[in-house]
Amino acid sequence: MPGNRGGIQPVCYHDNVRVQVLFFGLLRDIAGQAQTTLELPVGATAGAVFDHFAAQFPALGEMKRSVMLARNQEFTAAGTLLSEGDEIALLPPVSGGSGPWIHQLVTEPQGNFYGLTREPIDAAALARQLLQPRDGAFVNFEGVVRDNTKGRATKYLDYECYEAMAIKLMAQIGDAIAEAHPISRIALVHRLGRMEIGETSVAVIAFSPHRKPAFDAALEGINKLKKLVPIWKKEYFVDGEVWVDGEWDESLTSKR
């Protein structure tokens, strides 16, 4: 048989695409892993990733109505076509840098601040750092770890998140709030990892020349953060542990 002349190599056509798959919160426990790779036929969709693992793990399949998909750190529809090297994250409903921040983002021109940390949050110090001479008020909302859930004694909490996606969404939420309210600046920060009773898990700080816009912005900030940002809470009790149930914001329904 004649040889391959001129150094020309035969062309190989790949019939599959390989994607990286990430599992978070309860889904990580169900799958028994935080991440893996998966090969699917060319033309496969993001929904096919979920279906693949739902076939392996029936408990995952039962959660289909509540699981969201993200492709390359953005929410995506199940019908989105996959490309080679995509990162697909399976996200259960959310539970309601430099220095201490493992991720931080400042958006200009207002100077809105967003951060994720594994260290204790000093919201008062952050507020004083961001306060401007034109501000007549700031509202600092802090969510703290309580000692019980419906009378069941809590030992401690543990938070985890899809960090790269979470910081982007926090900035989108905060910047939109700053556009919609007459405030001068806003900050959204969240702590990850283990937290003891009484410690701050999340803070939303809104600054304004007048008090009412600051109150309105802070309330909207915590409400949206708890339903849109992929952060999950696991609660530890004396007699067991559980991922805290939550729900996605209705605005995400169309992305399934």
Side-chain angles (χ1 to χ4, degrees), residues 127-137 184-185 207-209:
R128 290 295 172 183
Q129 177 184 336
L130 297 176
L131 188 67
Q132 302 171 93
R134 61 178 169 156
D135 294 324
S184 59
R185 186 174 283 181
F207 304 82
S208 175

Side-chain angles (χ1 to χ4, degrees), residues 56-120:
Q56 292 186 36
F57 308 106
L60 178 59
E62 293 172 2
M63 296 179 64
K64 185 170 185 177
R65 292 175 61 88
S66 62
V67 171
M68 296 296 299
L69 300 173
R71 174 176 175 265
N72 302 329
Q73 303 170 12
E74 294 185 358
F75 288 113
T76 193
T80 301
L81 292 177
L82 299 175
S83 297
E84 178 70 22
D86 277 351
E87 179 183 271
I88 304 297
L90 277 61
L91 311 175
V94 289
S95 313
S98 61
W101 308 105
I102 54 176
H103 293 278
Q104 65 175 349
L105 184 61
V106 178
T107 58
E108 301 296 349
Q110 283 182 293
N112 299 322
F113 181 88
Y114 311 100
L116 297 170
T117 183
R118 293 188 179 276
E119 298 183 18

Side-chain angles (χ1 to χ4, degrees), residues 122-146:
D122 189 343
L126 179 61
R128 290 295 172 183
Q129 177 184 336
L130 297 176
L131 188 67
Q132 302 171 93
R134 61 178 169 156
D135 294 324
F138 70 82
V139 170
N140 173 24
F141 169 86
E142 295 186 44
V144 299
V145 181
R146 61 175 177 265

Side-chain angles (χ1 to χ4, degrees), residues 5 149 166-167 194 210 236:
R5 297 182 180 179
T149 295
I167 196 71
R194 175 169 170 159
H210 305 286
Y236 289 80

Side-chain angles (χ1 to χ4, degrees), residues 145-157 197 235-242:
V145 181
R146 61 175 177 265
D147 66 359
N148 76 94
T149 295
K150 298 179 180 178
R152 189 180 183 188
T154 300
K155 293 174 62 180
Y156 60 89
L157 302 182
I197 305 304
E235 192 160 4
Y236 289 80
F237 306 99
V238 174
D239 57 348
E241 59 196 54
V242 64

